[in-house]
Amino acid sequence: MSDVTSITAVNSGGYPAPAGLTADPVVFAPRAGELCVLLVPRREPPYEGTWALPGGFMNPQEEPEETAQRKLTEKTGIGSLYLEQLATYGSPRRDPRGWIPSVAYLALTHAAVLRENETEARWFAVDELPALAFDHPRIIADGIDRLRGKLWYSNIAVTLLPERFTLAEARRLYEAISGVRYEVSNFRRTLEQSEIVRSTEEVQQGPTGRPARLYEFVEGSPSWSTRRSRIPGTLRE
Amino acid sequence: MSDVTSITAVNSGGYPAPAGLTADPVVFAPRAGELCVLLVPRREPPYEGTWALPGGFMNPQEEPEETAQRKLTEKTGIGSLYLEQLATYGSPRRDPRGWIPSVAYLALTHAAVLRENETEARWFAVDELPALAFDHPRIIADGIDRLRGKLWYSNIAVTLLPERFTLAEARRLYEAISGVRYEVSNFRRTLEQSEIVRSTEEVQQGPTGRPARLYEFVEGSPSWSTRRSRIPGTLRE
DNA sequence: TAAATAGTGTCTTTAAGACATTATCGC
DNA sequence: GCGATAATGTCTTAAAGACACTATTTA
């Protein structure tokens, strides 16, 4: 980090301004039963040779969410995703180039949307992360917490499943994201009474064993918060 | 808004930079059974004559949370509070002066910490808000949602109570914040099994009626997230 | 029929909602 | 005793955890 160019900015009122603002998408995908996060290699200082979130500088006329989406597409080729604002990281020392806060966004998608032969971006299992740039370890950790915390209070996981899916597929998906294992019977009960999936009449035959019933996603858009929270002992009146 | 001076900034790399960054504390307090938010009058454009959150511009060497705390003290005289990051509002058109994103922070305190004869800041009931500046209506609405959503998953409300308090006092506090009424018996049960309060042997006599048992806060620091969320049907192994 | 996978039944525990009842004070 | 406030008891419902059991396929 010896050859880092520092950047400063001053506004038209003569006061110091941020040298820039960045937006960082934190994109997760389950792959081979493990939760992975999307990273790109850094080819120049600072933090040359490490991996980083696929974010970048905001343009003046952009919403931060638009920047996150644009940078994601530019750096990884991945198209439009549902983004939820995660948090803002604004420590003045987080970027050695200068005062550059970052607004982080959270997304969940399929690992297959990444064309690995057309981009340098790669998926990394969250428990085997490479050396990372900036405060990205912290941002990713916060993203994992938020994703897992909302898993059962949203329908975003189900939207990753194919149009028709079995409960075993759904369970493996939830297990990959949460990092815990679920009991089959209780998993089914909970998912069914969530009313975000519906069972169909069709079944799917595997290589062996009893055929599995197929389920489908109940129409509705992907949302990071479906169920409302519980409140103790409310009076009706 | 005719005489608003617009601000721009350019960084040392020649690229446009934000004209500034602001931090806005959204401070709530229960007062007379109602949830109130802290606002200050705007004495100059833009939005002269309206009310606003007591925030302001960040200095280059500050953490955004420090800015929120500093501006709160400068503009209202209120001392150190526990702040939780709420969200960042970065629409390029949110401030008529230019590109000025804001990081909002959430806090809950006693209405009495405001010395109304030493400051222009005032409490406003959240359902009787005056004309507000910028996108502050949206920020306040998001703050209310977050505060109410976390009420039963944190111990911040209890920290507002005196050292010794009755369950009726606690219940009135929770009702003021949440805007709903609770059934006495169930309220007690829920609060007791939360393990953030403990009953003492003492009682307190009111002007009439049976004396109320006094409770105390179980040591521990104020925290916006105490209880961990439930996960369906996890296997142990 | 064995191995593999899918699905069901049900007992228990915990938390929450509803509401009736009892307790203790001042007057 | 009466009004007021505080506290308790308990029946019911809903959700979740545990775990045994049944069902349907291929080889």
Side-chain angles (χ1 to χ4, degrees):
Chain A
M1 266 185 283
S2 49
D3 48 357
V4 169
T5 311
S6 84
I7 322 175
T8 57
V10 173
N11 70 28
S12 51
Y15 294 101
L21 263 189
T22 62
D24 282 307
V26 187
V27 183
F28 292 103
R31 192 185 58 173
E34 287 197 301
L35 184 64
C36 298
V37 64
L38 183 63
L39 300 173
V40 292
R42 280 194 67 82
R43 299 293 182 203
E44 68 287 321
Y47 296 101
E48 182 172 1
T50 68
W51 292 76
L53 295 169
F57 284 94
M58 287 172 59
N59 290 329
Q61 71 290 356
E62 261 179 339
E63 300 278 340
E65 181 175 330
E66 290 170 358
T67 307
Q69 177 63 63
R70 174 174 61 83
K71 283 289 169 183
L72 174 64
T73 303
E74 287 176 8
K75 294 193 166 184
T76 73
I78 292 178
S80 180
L81 292 183
Y82 284 90
L83 295 174
E84 147 148 315
Q85 191 180 302
L86 176 59
T88 295
Y89 299 84
S91 167
R93 287 166 303 282
R94 64 177 296 276
D95 191 317
R97 292 168 295 185
W99 183 20
I100 306 177
S102 180
V103 186
Y105 284 83
L106 183 59
L108 182 65
T109 187
H110 302 91
V113 298
L114 185 71
R115 304 308 192 88
E116 303 209 5
N117 51 346
E118 299 169 15
T119 174
E120 293 187 308
R122 291 291 179 272
W123 294 111
F124 286 87
V126 296
D127 46 12
E128 292 172 21
L129 293 175
L132 292 166
F134 308 103
D135 51 1
H136 291 187
R138 168 74 190 285
I139 300 178
I140 293 169
D142 289 350
I144 294 169
D145 285 350
R146 179 89 135 253
L147 172 63
R148 290 181 171 167
K150 287 209 167 178
L151 179 59
W152 287 98
Y153 296 91
S154 75
N155 62 15
I156 28 128
V158 178
T159 64
L160 291 196
L161 290 162
E163 200 173 336
R164 297 285 167 100
F165 54 89
T166 68
L167 282 178
E169 289 170 337
R171 187 166 48 82
R172 282 189 289 269
L173 171 69
Y174 273 70
E175 288 177 345
I177 296 172
S178 69
V180 300
R181 311 226 321 142
Y182 298 111
E183 201 283 324
V184 260
S185 163
N186 301 331
F187 178 83
R188 179 165 67 126
R189 189 177 53 200
T190 305
L191 197 60
E192 279 188 334
Q193 73 194 12
S194 77
E195 296 184 329
I196 59 178
V197 306
R198 164 202 312 141
S199 99
T200 70
E201 293 305 305
E202 294 170 70
V203 293
Q204 182 183 69
Q205 180 58 59
T208 174
R210 175 174 169 175
R213 180 176 296 276
L214 288 169
Y215 282 71
E216 62 186 6
F217 178 47
V218 172
E219 354 299 334
S221 36
S223 164
W224 282 92
S225 51
T226 46
R227 296 202 245 175
R228 62 269 164 269
S229 55
R230 300 296 233 56
I231 298 162
T234 307
L235 285 178
R236 286 187 294 195
E237 295 181 79
Chain B
M1 264 186 285
S2 47
D3 49 356
V4 170
T5 311
S6 84
I7 322 175
T8 56
V10 174
N11 70 27
S12 51
Y15 294 101
L21 263 188
T22 62
D24 283 307
V26 188
V27 183
F28 293 102
R31 193 184 57 173
E34 286 196 300
L35 184 63
C36 297
V37 64
L38 183 64
L39 299 173
V40 292
R42 280 194 67 81
R43 298 292 182 203
E44 66 289 322
Y47 295 101
E48 183 172 1
T50 67
W51 292 76
L53 296 168
F57 284 94
M58 288 173 59
N59 289 330
Q61 73 288 358
E62 260 178 339
E63 300 276 342
E65 182 176 329
E66 290 171 357
T67 306
Q69 177 63 64
R70 175 174 60 82
K71 283 289 167 184
L72 174 65
T73 304
E74 288 175 8
K75 294 193 166 185
T76 73
I78 292 178
S80 180
L81 291 183
Y82 285 90
L83 295 174
E84 147 149 314
Q85 191 179 303
L86 176 59
T88 295
Y89 299 82
S91 166
R93 288 165 302 284
R94 65 176 295 278
D95 190 318
R97 292 168 295 185
W99 183 21
I100 306 176
S102 180
V103 185
Y105 285 83
L106 184 58
L108 182 65
T109 188
H110 303 90
V113 298
L114 185 72
R115 306 306 194 86
E116 304 210 4
N117 51 345
E118 298 170 16
T119 173
E120 294 186 308
R122 291 291 180 271
W123 294 112
F124 286 87
V126 296
D127 46 12
E128 291 172 20
L129 293 175
L132 293 165
F134 308 105
D135 50 2
H136 291 187
R138 168 72 189 285
I139 300 178
I140 293 169
D142 289 350
I144 295 169
D145 285 349
R146 180 88 134 253
L147 172 63
R148 291 182 170 165
K150 286 208 167 178
L151 179 59
W152 285 99
Y153 296 92
S154 75
N155 63 14
I156 27 127
V158 179
T159 64
L160 291 196
L161 290 162
E163 202 173 333
R164 296 284 166 102
F165 54 89
T166 67
L167 284 178
E169 290 169 337
R171 188 166 48 82
R172 281 189 290 268
L173 172 69
Y174 272 71
E175 288 175 346
I177 296 172
S178 69
V180 300
R181 311 227 320 143
Y182 298 111
E183 200 285 324
V184 262
S185 163
N186 300 331
F187 178 84
R188 178 165 69 126
R189 191 177 51 200
T190 306
L191 197 61
E192 278 189 333
Q193 73 194 10
S194 78
E195 295 184 331
I196 59 178
V197 306
R198 163 203 314 140
S199 99
T200 70
E201 293 304 306
E202 294 170 70
V203 293
Q204 182 181 70
Q205 180 60 60
T208 174
R210 176 176 172 174
R213 180 177 295 276
L214 288 168
Y215 282 71
E216 61 186 8
F217 178 46
V218 172
E219 351 299 334
S221 35
S223 165
W224 283 92
S225 50
T226 46
R227 296 203 243 176
R228 61 267 165 271
S229 54
R230 301 297 234 54
I231 297 162
T234 307
L235 285 179
R236 286 185 297 194
E237 294 182 81

